[in-house]
Amino acid sequence: MKYIPECDEIWHAGDIGEGAWLKTLQKLKPFRAVYGNIDTNDYQRLFPENLVFVCENVKVVMTHIGGYPGKFP
């Protein structure tokens, strides 16, 4: 929580897990997330597997696991 006041947005790249902290972060700053491989169906319905957006004129593609060495899509 130390650095959140300095942030414009919070981005989370998956593995939300238990998620008790999620609502707190969503109240503090604009929040973007993708689900990870440990996340339940509830989180898979709330957040996409891949998220594409533009921030400060830069295209951002966020995913939890983009592949493995030798097998990146």
Side-chain angles (χ1 to χ4, degrees):
M1 297 292 225
K2 177 180 176 180
Y3 298 103
I4 290 176
E6 300 172 29
C7 297
D8 294 325
E9 294 184 356
I10 299 169
W11 301 352
H12 192 281
D15 285 351
I16 295 163
E18 184 247 310
W21 50 270
L22 184 59
K23 287 184 181 179
T24 300
L25 291 182
Q26 289 175 314
K27 290 177 186 175
L28 295 174
K29 298 286 180 167
F31 185 84
R32 301 176 193 254
V34 295
Y35 70 81
N37 57 305
I38 71 160
D39 292 322
T40 63
N41 288 338
D42 291 339
Y43 289 124
Q44 291 178 15
R45 283 190 287 276
L46 283 174
F47 302 107
E49 180 177 11
N50 302 295
L51 184 61
V52 179
F53 58 96
V54 175
C55 181
E56 297 182 3
N57 296 316
V58 175
K59 183 178 181 181
V60 177
V61 179
M62 186 165 49
T63 190
H64 176 62
I65 298 174
Y68 301 92
K71 296 183 180 181
F72 292 106

